[in-house]
Amino acid sequence: DQQVKQNSPSLSVQEGRISILNCDYTNSMFDYFLWYKKYPAEGPTFLISISSIKDKNEDGRFTVFLNKSAKHLSLHIVPSQPGDSAVYFCAASNSNYQLIWGAGTKLIIKP
Amino acid sequence: NAGVTQTPKFRVLKTGQSMTLLCAQDMNHEYMYWYRQDPGMGLRLIHYSVGEGTTAKGEVPDGYNVSRLKKQNFLLGLESAAPSQTSVYFCASTGPASSYEQYFGPGTRLTVT
């Protein structure tokens, strides 16, 4: 039973345009959500997070939106840059310091 | 400040051999984790530790053992390697001040033939 789902294995976006990565979850007890970025042959690195008491969090070009009623969150990257090409993982926590991970979405930024 | 380091980076084992993966962190984090990542799948938790001397099973613990004798180190052991354990292994750590953000090592690519 996959509690965190990223239904798009890959996404291709033109440089300078908006990239939107989606994530759905099933467990209503999740109260904290994180996005990680992973380059090949490296460990995942933290990108941005959001608490369940908020519906939006912004950090520079990155914004995460949370829709609790739909159990859906999305990561927006504006504008997309070539260095954003990576695999993006969505993860969720229910306050126990364990994270449940989605399968990842490979983002390709085309020049 | 090295963050989280993992040793070795690559390893090839024959079926039935044993090995230990070492994870070290210098951030004084309480919590440490071992994950495996397989193609098309997210990170799956093997074992974790909430403090020195404590360990607990994660989602996929079978075939692995762990030890946390020192706060900064978390060891993952494979007693009798199987081809199904071919994977990339990541160690991570976090602490109460980190808001659930986990810091990852660079990974160990293990192939079992």
Side-chain angles (χ1 to χ4, degrees):
Chain A
D1 177 30
Q2 248 187 316
Q3 296 186 67
V4 177
K5 294 181 184 179
Q6 293 177 257
N7 291 318
S8 300
S10 66
L11 175 67
S12 188
V13 174
Q14 203 72 34
E15 181 180 355
R17 306 293 290 268
I18 182 171
S19 295
I20 300 176
L21 294 94
N22 294 304
C23 179
D24 297 294
Y25 62 95
T26 57
N27 189 342
S28 58
M29 298 300 291
F30 289 145
D31 59 0
Y32 204 81
F33 303 89
L34 306 90
W35 285 94
Y36 278 76
K37 178 178 180 179
K38 185 184 179 305
Y39 292 119
E42 294 184 10
T45 54
F46 171 74
L47 194 55
I48 192 170
S49 62
I50 187 166
S51 164
S52 60
I53 62 173
K54 296 186 175 182
D55 55 18
K56 177 182 173 181
N57 188 28
E58 197 170 348
D59 184 2
R61 297 186 297 114
F62 303 92
T63 303
V64 57
F65 295 92
L66 175 62
N67 181 334
K68 283 202 303 181
S69 61
K71 295 191 177 69
H72 176 83
L73 63 156
S74 61
L75 173 68
H76 292 211
I77 306 173
V78 182
S80 300
Q81 298 175 353
D84 297 330
S85 294
V87 177
Y88 289 79
F89 290 99
C90 169
S93 172
N94 57 1
S95 302
N96 63 356
Y97 289 96
Q98 289 182 47
L99 296 179
I100 307 299
W101 297 79
T105 296
K106 183 175 184 178
L107 177 64
I108 301 164
I109 306 301
K110 298 179 293 186
Chain B
N1 190 339
V4 180
T5 57
Q6 291 183 233
T7 310
K9 287 187 167 48
F10 303 95
R11 185 73 186 268
V12 179
L13 287 179
K14 291 188 181 345
T15 297
Q17 287 184 320
S18 64
M19 77 163 295
T20 300
L21 283 67
L22 172 64
C23 175
Q25 53 95 3
D26 60 4
M27 296 173 281
N28 201 35
H29 283 163
E30 291 294 330
Y31 308 100
M32 295 188 75
Y33 310 83
W34 275 107
Y35 292 96
R36 61 179 288 172
Q37 188 198 6
D38 300 296
M41 304 183 76
L43 296 166
R44 292 187 293 168
L45 184 64
I46 304 171
H47 286 279
Y48 64 100
S49 168
V50 300
E52 181 179 319
T54 73
T55 63
K57 294 180 181 179
E59 180 188 355
V60 288
D62 293 342
Y64 305 95
N65 57 73
V66 287
S67 64
R68 183 113 181 257
L69 298 179
K70 293 183 179 180
K71 186 177 183 179
Q72 63 268 34
N73 295 338
F74 195 28
L75 277 63
L76 177 71
L78 286 74
E79 288 185 349
S80 180
S84 61
Q85 294 178 303
T86 293
S87 188
V88 180
Y89 292 85
F90 290 102
C91 176
S93 70
T94 191
S98 299
S99 297
Y100 308 115
E101 177 190 338
Q102 294 183 9
Y103 296 80
F104 282 81
T108 295
R109 183 173 292 275
L110 175 66
T111 301
V112 183
T113 60

